Amino acid sequence: MRIRLRAVVLAAGFGTRLRPLTERCPKPALPVAGRPLAALTLERLAAAGCEAAAVNLHYLGDRVRRALGEAVGGMPLTYSVERPIQGTLGALTALRSFLEPADLVLVVNGDSLCRWPLARLLRRHRTSGAAATLLLAARARPAEFGGGVAVDRQGWIVALRGGAPRAAGRAVFAGAQLLEPRLLAGLEVGPAGLVEGLYEPLLAAGERLAAVTTRRRWFDLGTPERYRRAVLAWVRGARPWGRSWLAPGAEVDPSARLRRVVVEAGAAIAGRAEVSGSVLLPGARVGRGARLERCVVGFDAEVPAGAELAGRLVTPAAPAGAAPAAGSRVGNAVFTPLA
């Protein structure tokens, strides 16, 4: 029997650690090889058979909506505007009427990048009898993400935070989960997180939470450096020979030398520039003879001719001319170390 699958993509966050990039573009709308970040997830949800998806909005929500439109891959989108922001569980309780017709609910972080193994997640959930099933990233380092999720040898989650049996292994939650709609019944509507508001009480009550651990590349785009690595890895996964990706409408002088570069629409690279391992966002400009390695050139930012940069985020200078404490100003640009 075909199940009814609906999804929620969480897209309300502030993107604080990605500033100043997210001061004008919310994280779920940041470009990844010509597509908004969250649209890549929505496309996979549509391919997995979701009949509809909802997107929660708060910070720069109108820009998220414009970037995604009213449908992706033939899958209609519903938007839930939060004032104030409701947290990961509050987002679901606010969408209770949208989720009510579903047999299962897929919840995915709109600020993560992964070729989500949704079919495998669905199989594990349906055969395990679990109340919820979480996707874990085997290649991520738990120490960088609060210690990770503890899982026993049978693939059951035994702790989401804090202590766990010595025999349990740990992996990082990868931002995708399946849960039974019944879990939302009776919950209070209001700001709350899934871990403390739902999953930890379920474990304490003896309910089972299952895990699926994947070795697929998963990226949390929490910082400009993680964003750079994620975009380049995504393009490399689609183009294994490692060539650069140039958007239609990007302007690159024939004498420029590029190696593993992503150049979005409206960006330009002048003659004799050398750019490697870098991402140029719409409106970015690289001057003649400049040399860039492992950089992100932000929206409408300009790298002066002849500049030599490595491991830098380049953004336009503020109107008042103030540069961040960790950055330096050259002309109309601020150079900040990537982190």
Side-chain angles (χ1 to χ4, degrees):
M1 182 180 68
R2 183 178 177 87
I3 66 168
R4 297 189 67 179
L5 190 62
R6 291 196 169 194
V8 176
V9 173
L10 301 172
F14 294 95
T16 304
R17 292 177 298 155
L18 260 173
R19 289 178 179 170
L21 296 180
T22 49
E23 289 177 355
R24 57 184 290 183
C25 180
K27 187 161 36 169
L30 283 172
V32 178
R35 298 286 289 145
L37 169 61
L40 299 174
T41 289
L42 287 163
E43 288 167 0
R44 296 191 77 85
L45 291 169
C50 286
E51 65 177 21
V55 181
N56 72 325
L57 303 175
H58 179 73
Y59 176 68
L60 298 180
D62 57 335
R63 299 187 188 185
V64 176
R65 184 165 188 160
R66 287 200 301 270
L68 300 179
E70 301 306 312
V72 171
M75 179 181 65
L77 302 183
T78 292
Y79 291 96
S80 174
V81 179
E82 298 179 1
R83 298 188 180 95
I85 196 167
Q86 295 294 297
T88 52
L89 179 56
L92 302 187
T93 55
L95 284 162
R96 199 146 32 199
S97 60
F98 168 81
L99 299 173
E100 187 176 1
D103 298 313
L104 285 176
V105 177
L106 255 170
V107 184
V108 187
N109 290 354
D111 60 358
S112 294
L113 185 62
C114 182
R115 289 180 168 86
W116 307 102
L118 299 178
R120 184 180 167 204
L121 190 69
L122 184 58
R123 284 195 303 271
R124 166 69 167 152
H125 184 81
R126 296 187 71 186
T127 58
S128 69
T133 302
L134 279 62
L135 182 69
L136 307 182
R139 299 169 69 174
R141 298 177 180 177
E144 296 180 10
F145 296 91
V149 175
V151 183
D152 68 17
R153 293 178 181 177
Q154 287 73 46
W156 298 106
I157 293 173
V158 295
L160 291 127
R161 301 181 297 186
R166 184 172 297 179
R170 285 193 174 271
V172 173
F173 174 55
Q177 55 217 301
L178 263 169
L179 54 88
E180 303 285 331
R182 66 174 175 83
L183 301 178
L184 302 178
L187 292 178
E188 294 184 6
V189 176
L194 273 165
V195 171
E196 68 274 16
L198 182 63
Y199 292 148
E200 289 183 333
L202 285 174
L203 284 177
E207 290 263 20
R208 284 188 151 189
L209 304 181
V212 169
T213 302
T214 181
R215 293 197 62 79
R216 294 189 183 188
R217 300 292 297 275
W218 166 80
F219 294 92
D220 162 59
L221 278 67
T223 66
E225 170 60 9
R226 288 180 181 174
Y227 173 66
R228 182 192 72 86
R229 287 186 293 176
V231 171
L232 294 177
W234 183 266
V235 170
R236 186 173 186 180
R239 305 163 71 90
W241 50 91
R243 290 174 56 186
S244 297
W245 183 89
L246 309 180
E251 300 177 10
V252 178
D253 189 277
S255 66
R257 297 176 61 184
L258 309 182
R259 181 177 179 273
R260 291 197 65 219
V261 175
V262 170
V263 185
E264 295 288 351
I269 300 177
R272 301 192 181 281
E274 298 182 15
V275 186
S276 65
S278 298
V279 175
L280 276 64
L281 298 183
R285 295 286 187 272
V286 175
R288 184 175 182 83
R291 298 178 65 181
L292 276 67
E293 181 180 358
R294 295 178 289 105
C295 291
V296 175
V297 186
F299 299 97
D300 299 321
E302 183 175 351
V303 176
E308 297 191 10
L309 303 173
R312 291 293 186 271
L313 169 65
V314 185
T315 52
S328 57
R329 177 171 175 167
V330 178
N332 293 319
V334 173
F335 304 150
T336 309
L338 278 178

